[in-house]
Coordinates of all heavy atoms in Angstrom, one line a residue:
M44 N -46.1 -1.9 -0.4 CA -45.7 -2.7 0.7 C -46.9 -3.2 1.4 O -47.8 -2.5 1.7 CB -44.8 -1.9 1.7 CG -43.5 -1.4 1.1 SD -42.2 -2.7 1.0 CE -42.1 -3.3 2.7
R45 N -46.8 -4.5 1.8 CA -47.8 -5.1 2.6 C -47.2 -5.9 3.7 O -46.0 -6.3 3.7 CB -48.8 -5.9 1.7 CG -48.1 -7.1 1.1 CD -49.1 -7.9 0.2 NE -48.6 -9.1 -0.3 CZ -47.7 -9.3 -1.2 NH1 -47.3 -8.2 -1.9 NH2 -47.3 -10.5 -1.6
D46 N -48.0 -6.2 4.7 CA -47.6 -7.0 5.9 C -46.3 -6.5 6.5 O -45.5 -7.3 7.0 CB -47.4 -8.5 5.4 CG -48.6 -9.1 4.8 OD1 -49.7 -8.8 5.3 OD2 -48.5 -9.9 3.9
V47 N -46.2 -5.2 6.6 CA -45.0 -4.6 7.2 C -45.1 -4.7 8.7 O -46.2 -4.5 9.3 CB -44.9 -3.1 6.8 CG1 -43.7 -2.4 7.6 CG2 -44.7 -2.9 5.3
H48 N -44.1 -5.2 9.4 CA -44.1 -5.4 10.8 C -42.7 -5.2 11.4 O -41.7 -5.4 10.7 CB -44.7 -6.8 11.1 CG -43.9 -7.9 10.5 ND1 -44.0 -8.3 9.2 CD2 -42.9 -8.7 11.1 CE1 -43.1 -9.3 9.0 NE2 -42.5 -9.6 10.1
D49 N -42.7 -4.9 12.7 CA -41.4 -4.8 13.4 C -40.8 -6.2 13.6 O -41.5 -7.2 13.8 CB -41.6 -4.2 14.8 CG -42.1 -2.8 14.8 OD1 -41.7 -2.1 13.8 OD2 -42.7 -2.3 15.8
V50 N -39.5 -6.2 13.5 CA -38.7 -7.5 13.8 C -37.6 -7.1 14.7 O -37.3 -5.9 14.9 CB -38.1 -8.1 12.5 CG1 -39.3 -8.6 11.6 CG2 -37.2 -7.2 11.7
D51 N -37.0 -8.0 15.3 CA -35.9 -7.8 16.3 C -34.7 -7.1 15.6 O -34.2 -7.6 14.6 CB -35.5 -9.2 16.9 CG -34.3 -9.0 17.9 OD1 -34.1 -7.9 18.4 OD2 -33.7 -10.0 18.2
A52 N -34.3 -6.0 16.1 CA -33.2 -5.2 15.5 C -31.8 -5.7 16.0 O -30.8 -5.2 15.6 CB -33.3 -3.7 15.9
G53 N -31.8 -6.7 16.9 CA -30.5 -7.3 17.3 C -29.8 -6.4 18.3 O -30.3 -5.5 18.8
P54 N -28.6 -6.8 18.6 CA -27.8 -6.2 19.7 C -27.4 -4.7 19.4 O -27.1 -4.0 20.3 CB -26.6 -7.0 19.9 CG -26.4 -7.8 18.6 CD -27.8 -8.0 18.0
L55 N -27.5 -4.3 18.2 CA -27.1 -2.9 17.8 C -28.3 -2.0 18.1 O -28.2 -0.7 18.0 CB -26.6 -2.8 16.4 CG -25.3 -3.5 16.1 CD1 -25.0 -3.5 14.7 CD2 -24.2 -2.7 16.9
G56 N -29.5 -2.5 18.3 CA -30.6 -1.7 18.6 C -31.3 -1.0 17.5 O -31.0 -1.3 16.3
G57 N -32.0 0.0 17.8 CA -32.7 0.8 16.8 C -34.1 0.1 16.4 O -34.6 -0.6 17.2
T58 N -34.5 0.4 15.3 CA -35.8 -0.1 14.8 C -35.6 -0.9 13.5 O -34.8 -0.4 12.6 CB -36.8 1.0 14.5 OG1 -37.0 1.8 15.7 CG2 -38.1 0.5 14.0
M59 N -36.2 -2.0 13.4 CA -36.1 -2.8 12.1 C -37.5 -3.3 11.8 O -38.2 -3.8 12.6 CB -35.1 -4.0 12.3 CG -34.8 -4.7 11.0 SD -33.4 -5.8 11.3 CE -33.8 -7.1 10.2
R60 N -37.8 -3.2 10.5 CA -39.1 -3.6 10.0 C -38.9 -4.3 8.7 O -38.0 -4.0 7.9 CB -40.0 -2.4 9.8 CG -40.2 -1.5 11.0 CD -41.2 -0.5 10.9 NE -42.5 -1.1 11.3 CZ -43.7 -0.6 10.9 NH1 -43.7 0.5 10.2 NH2 -44.7 -1.1 11.3
C61 N -39.8 -5.2 8.4 CA -39.8 -6.0 7.2 C -41.2 -6.1 6.6 O -42.2 -6.0 7.3 CB -39.3 -7.4 7.4 SG -37.6 -7.5 7.8
G62 N -41.3 -6.3 5.3 CA -42.6 -6.5 4.6 C -42.3 -7.1 3.3 O -41.2 -7.5 2.9
T63 N -43.4 -7.1 2.5 CA -43.3 -7.7 1.1 C -43.9 -6.7 0.1 O -44.8 -6.0 0.4 CB -44.2 -9.0 1.1 OG1 -43.7 -9.9 2.1 CG2 -44.0 -9.7 -0.2
T64 N -43.3 -6.7 -1.1 CA -43.8 -5.9 -2.1 C -43.8 -6.8 -3.4 O -43.3 -7.8 -3.4 CB -42.9 -4.6 -2.4 OG1 -43.6 -3.7 -3.3 CG2 -41.6 -4.9 -2.9
K65 N -44.5 -6.3 -4.4 CA -44.7 -7.0 -5.7 C -43.8 -6.3 -6.7 O -43.9 -5.2 -6.9 CB -46.2 -7.0 -6.1 CG -46.5 -7.9 -7.3 CD -46.6 -9.3 -6.9 CE -47.9 -9.9 -6.7 NZ -47.8 -11.3 -6.5
V66 N -43.0 -7.1 -7.4 CA -42.2 -6.6 -8.6 C -42.6 -7.6 -9.7 O -42.3 -8.7 -9.7 CB -40.7 -6.7 -8.3 CG1 -39.9 -6.2 -9.5 CG2 -40.4 -5.7 -7.1
D67 N -43.1 -7.0 -10.8 CA -43.7 -7.7 -11.9 C -44.7 -8.8 -11.3 O -45.6 -8.4 -10.7 CB -42.6 -8.4 -12.7 CG -41.7 -7.3 -13.4 OD1 -42.2 -6.3 -13.8 OD2 -40.5 -7.6 -13.5
D68 N -44.4 -10.0 -11.5 CA -45.3 -11.1 -10.9 C -44.7 -11.8 -9.7 O -45.2 -12.8 -9.3 CB -45.6 -12.1 -12.0 CG -46.5 -11.5 -13.1 OD1 -47.3 -10.6 -12.8 OD2 -46.3 -12.0 -14.3
S69 N -43.6 -11.3 -9.2 CA -42.9 -11.9 -8.0 C -43.0 -11.1 -6.8 O -43.0 -9.9 -6.8 CB -41.5 -12.1 -8.4 OG -41.3 -12.9 -9.5
D70 N -43.1 -11.8 -5.6 CA -42.9 -11.1 -4.3 C -41.5 -10.9 -4.0 O -40.6 -11.7 -4.3 CB -43.6 -12.0 -3.2 CG -45.1 -11.9 -3.2 OD1 -45.7 -11.0 -3.8 OD2 -45.7 -12.9 -2.7
L71 N -41.3 -9.8 -3.4 CA -39.9 -9.4 -3.0 C -40.0 -9.0 -1.5 O -40.8 -8.1 -1.1 CB -39.5 -8.2 -3.8 CG -38.0 -7.7 -3.8 CD1 -37.1 -8.8 -4.4 CD2 -37.9 -6.4 -4.6
S72 N -39.1 -9.6 -0.7 CA -39.0 -9.2 0.7 C -38.2 -7.9 0.9 O -37.1 -7.8 0.2 CB -38.4 -10.3 1.6 OG -39.3 -11.5 1.5
V73 N -38.6 -7.0 1.7 CA -37.9 -5.8 2.0 C -37.7 -5.6 3.5 O -38.7 -5.7 4.2 CB -38.6 -4.6 1.4 CG1 -37.9 -3.3 1.6 CG2 -39.0 -4.7 -0.1
C74 N -36.5 -5.4 3.9 CA -36.2 -5.2 5.3 C -35.3 -4.0 5.5 O -34.5 -3.7 4.6 CB -35.5 -6.4 6.0 SG -36.5 -7.9 6.1
G75 N -35.5 -3.2 6.5 CA -34.7 -2.1 6.8 C -34.5 -1.8 8.3 O -35.4 -2.2 9.1
W76 N -33.4 -1.1 8.6 CA -33.2 -0.7 10.0 C -32.9 0.8 10.0 O -32.4 1.3 9.0 CB -32.1 -1.5 10.7 CG -30.7 -1.0 10.5 CD1 -30.1 0.0 11.2 CD2 -29.8 -1.4 9.5 NE1 -28.8 0.2 10.7 CE2 -28.6 -0.7 9.7 CE3 -29.8 -2.4 8.6 CZ2 -27.5 -0.8 8.9 CZ3 -28.6 -2.6 7.8 CH2 -27.5 -1.8 8.0
A77 N -33.1 1.3 11.2 CA -32.6 2.7 11.4 C -32.3 2.9 12.9 O -33.0 2.2 13.7 CB -33.8 3.7 11.1
D78 N -31.3 3.6 13.2 CA -30.9 3.9 14.6 C -30.4 5.3 14.6 O -30.5 6.1 13.6 CB -30.0 2.9 15.2 CG -28.6 2.8 14.5 OD1 -28.2 3.8 13.8 OD2 -28.0 1.8 14.6
N79 N -29.8 5.7 15.7 CA -29.3 7.1 15.8 C -28.2 7.5 14.9 O -27.9 8.7 14.7 CB -28.9 7.4 17.3 CG -27.8 6.6 17.7 OD1 -27.4 5.6 17.1 ND2 -27.1 7.0 18.8
G80 N -27.5 6.6 14.2 CA -26.4 6.9 13.3 C -26.4 6.2 12.0 O -25.4 6.4 11.2
S81 N -27.3 5.3 11.7 CA -27.3 4.6 10.5 C -28.7 4.2 10.0 O -29.6 4.2 10.7 CB -26.4 3.3 10.7 OG -27.1 2.4 11.5
L82 N -28.7 3.9 8.7 CA -29.9 3.4 8.0 C -29.5 2.4 7.0 O -28.5 2.6 6.3 CB -30.6 4.6 7.4 CG -31.8 4.4 6.4 CD1 -33.0 4.1 7.3 CD2 -32.0 5.5 5.5
G83 N -30.3 1.3 6.9 CA -30.0 0.3 5.9 C -31.3 -0.3 5.4 O -32.2 -0.5 6.1
V84 N -31.3 -0.5 4.1 CA -32.5 -1.2 3.5 C -32.0 -2.2 2.5 O -31.0 -2.0 1.8 CB -33.4 -0.2 2.7 CG1 -34.5 -0.9 2.0 CG2 -33.9 0.9 3.6
A85 N -32.6 -3.4 2.5 CA -32.2 -4.5 1.6 C -33.4 -5.1 1.0 O -34.5 -5.3 1.6 CB -31.3 -5.5 2.3
L86 N -33.3 -5.5 -0.3 CA -34.4 -6.2 -1.0 C -33.9 -7.7 -1.2 O -32.8 -7.9 -1.7 CB -34.6 -5.5 -2.3 CG -34.9 -4.0 -2.2 CD1 -34.3 -3.3 -3.3 CD2 -36.4 -3.8 -2.2
F87 N -34.8 -8.6 -1.0 CA -34.4 -10.0 -1.1 C -35.4 -10.7 -2.0 O -36.6 -10.8 -1.8 CB -34.5 -10.7 0.3 CG -33.5 -10.1 1.3 CD1 -33.9 -9.0 2.1 CD2 -32.2 -10.6 1.4 CE1 -33.0 -8.5 3.1 CE2 -31.4 -10.1 2.3 CZ -31.8 -9.0 3.2
S88 N -34.9 -11.3 -3.1 CA -35.7 -12.0 -4.0 C -35.5 -13.5 -3.7 O -34.4 -14.0 -3.4 CB -35.1 -11.8 -5.4 OG -35.9 -12.5 -6.4
G89 N -36.6 -14.2 -3.8 CA -36.6 -15.7 -3.5 C -36.4 -16.1 -2.1 O -36.1 -17.2 -1.8
R90 N -36.6 -15.2 -1.1 CA -36.6 -15.5 0.3 C -37.8 -15.0 1.0 O -38.4 -14.0 0.6 CB -35.4 -14.8 0.9 CG -34.0 -15.2 0.5 CD -33.0 -14.6 1.3 NE -31.7 -14.9 0.8 CZ -30.6 -14.9 1.5 NH1 -30.6 -14.5 2.8 NH2 -29.4 -15.3 1.0
N91 N -38.2 -15.7 2.0 CA -39.3 -15.3 2.8 C -38.9 -14.2 3.8 O -37.7 -13.9 3.9 CB -40.0 -16.4 3.5 CG -39.1 -17.1 4.6 OD1 -38.4 -16.4 5.3 ND2 -39.2 -18.4 4.6
V92 N -39.8 -13.5 4.4 CA -39.5 -12.4 5.2 C -38.7 -12.8 6.4 O -37.7 -12.1 6.8 CB -40.8 -11.6 5.7 CG1 -40.5 -10.5 6.7 CG2 -41.5 -11.0 4.4
A93 N -38.9 -13.9 7.1 CA -38.2 -14.3 8.2 C -36.7 -14.6 7.9 O -35.8 -14.1 8.6 CB -38.8 -15.6 8.8
D94 N -36.4 -15.2 6.7 CA -35.1 -15.4 6.3 C -34.4 -14.1 5.9 O -33.2 -13.9 6.2 CB -35.0 -16.4 5.1 CG -35.4 -17.8 5.5 OD1 -35.3 -18.2 6.7 OD2 -35.7 -18.6 4.6
S95 N -35.2 -13.2 5.3 CA -34.6 -11.9 4.9 C -34.2 -11.1 6.2 O -33.2 -10.5 6.2 CB -35.6 -11.2 4.1 OG -36.0 -11.8 2.9
A96 N -35.0 -11.1 7.2 CA -34.7 -10.4 8.4 C -33.4 -11.0 9.0 O -32.6 -10.2 9.5 CB -35.9 -10.5 9.4
K97 N -33.3 -12.3 9.0 CA -32.1 -12.9 9.6 C -30.8 -12.5 8.7 O -29.8 -12.1 9.3 CB -32.2 -14.4 9.6 CG -31.0 -15.1 10.2 CD -31.2 -16.6 10.1 CE -30.0 -17.3 10.7 NZ -29.8 -18.6 10.2
S98 N -31.0 -12.5 7.4 CA -29.9 -12.1 6.6 C -29.5 -10.6 6.8 O -28.3 -10.3 6.8 CB -30.2 -12.3 5.1 OG -30.4 -13.7 4.8
L99 N -30.5 -9.8 6.9 CA -30.2 -8.3 7.2 C -29.4 -8.1 8.5 O -28.5 -7.3 8.6 CB -31.4 -7.5 7.1 CG -31.1 -6.0 7.1 CD1 -30.2 -5.5 6.0 CD2 -32.4 -5.1 7.1
L100 N -29.9 -8.9 9.5 CA -29.2 -8.8 10.8 C -27.7 -9.2 10.7 O -26.8 -8.6 11.2 CB -29.8 -9.6 11.9 CG -31.0 -9.0 12.5 CD1 -31.7 -10.0 13.5 CD2 -30.7 -7.7 13.3
E101 N -27.5 -10.3 9.9 CA -26.1 -10.7 9.7 C -25.3 -9.7 8.9 O -24.1 -9.4 9.3 CB -26.1 -12.1 8.9 CG -26.6 -13.2 9.8 CD -26.9 -14.5 8.9 OE1 -26.7 -14.5 7.7 OE2 -27.3 -15.5 9.6
L102 N -25.9 -9.1 7.9 CA -25.2 -8.1 7.1 C -24.9 -6.9 8.0 O -23.8 -6.3 8.0 CB -26.1 -7.7 5.9 CG -25.6 -6.5 5.1 CD1 -24.3 -6.9 4.3 CD2 -26.7 -6.1 4.1
R103 N -25.9 -6.4 8.8 CA -25.7 -5.3 9.6 C -24.5 -5.5 10.6 O -23.7 -4.7 10.9 CB -27.0 -5.0 10.4 CG -26.9 -3.7 11.3 CD -28.2 -3.4 12.0 NE -28.0 -2.2 12.8 CZ -28.8 -1.9 13.8 NH1 -29.9 -2.7 14.0 NH2 -28.6 -0.8 14.4
S104 N -24.5 -6.7 11.2 CA -23.5 -7.0 12.2 C -22.1 -7.0 11.5 O -21.1 -6.7 12.2 CB -23.7 -8.4 12.8 OG -24.9 -8.4 13.6
A105 N -22.0 -7.3 10.3 CA -20.7 -7.4 9.6 C -20.3 -6.0 9.2 O -19.1 -5.8 9.1 CB -20.9 -8.2 8.3
V106 N -21.2 -5.0 9.0 CA -20.8 -3.7 8.5 C -20.8 -2.6 9.5 O -20.2 -1.6 9.3 CB -21.6 -3.3 7.2 CG1 -21.3 -4.3 6.1 CG2 -23.0 -3.1 7.5
E107 N -21.6 -2.8 10.5 CA -21.8 -1.7 11.5 C -21.1 -2.0 12.8 O -21.4 -3.1 13.4 CB -23.3 -1.4 11.7 CG -23.5 -0.2 12.7 CD -25.0 0.1 12.9 OE1 -25.8 -0.6 12.5 OE2 -25.2 1.2 13.5
H108 N -20.2 -1.2 13.3 CA -19.6 -1.4 14.5 C -19.6 -0.1 15.4 O -19.4 1.0 14.8 CB -18.1 -1.8 14.3 CG -18.0 -3.0 13.5 ND1 -18.2 -4.3 14.0 CD2 -17.8 -3.2 12.2 CE1 -18.0 -5.2 13.1 NE2 -17.8 -4.6 11.9
R109 N -19.8 -0.3 16.6 CA -19.8 0.9 17.5 C -18.5 0.9 18.3 O -18.0 -0.1 18.7 CB -21.0 0.7 18.5 CG -22.3 0.7 17.8 CD -23.2 1.8 18.3 NE -24.4 1.9 17.4 CZ -25.6 1.3 17.7 NH1 -25.7 0.7 18.8 NH2 -26.6 1.5 16.9
S110 N -18.0 2.1 18.5 CA -16.7 2.2 19.3 C -17.0 2.6 20.7 O -18.0 3.0 21.1 CB -15.8 3.2 18.6 OG -16.4 4.4 18.3

């Protein structure tokens, strides 16, 4: 992993970080979040890190709900 950095974790809070890794000859964006009750990691092919972070926030908002 390289260029790993914090990104906005959105309204659900916690910590979210993204970076880039190499798979064969291609770059792959990797983003993940963690909070007091959940953890998620996603790999994005063909997307830059900023777009990947946005996509993970959308995914997280769709699957994680607090009561």
Side-chain angles (χ1 to χ4, degrees):
M44 291 285 301
R45 64 184 189 279
D46 303 323
V47 176
H48 60 281
D49 290 336
V50 296
D51 180 18
L55 292 170
T58 299
M59 189 165 146
R60 303 186 90 199
C61 293
T63 305
T64 192
K65 186 79 100 177
V66 175
D67 296 326
D68 291 329
S69 300
D70 282 341
L71 191 67
S72 296
V73 181
C74 292
W76 86 81
D78 62 25
N79 63 342
S81 66
L82 170 78
V84 177
L86 305 140
F87 299 91
S88 178
R90 291 186 186 204
N91 64 39
V92 172
D94 290 341
S95 298
K97 183 180 177 206
S98 292
L99 186 59
L100 278 176
E101 291 169 359
L102 175 68
R103 182 180 182 198
S104 295
V106 299
E107 184 178 10
H108 300 280
R109 301 239 169 96
S110 48

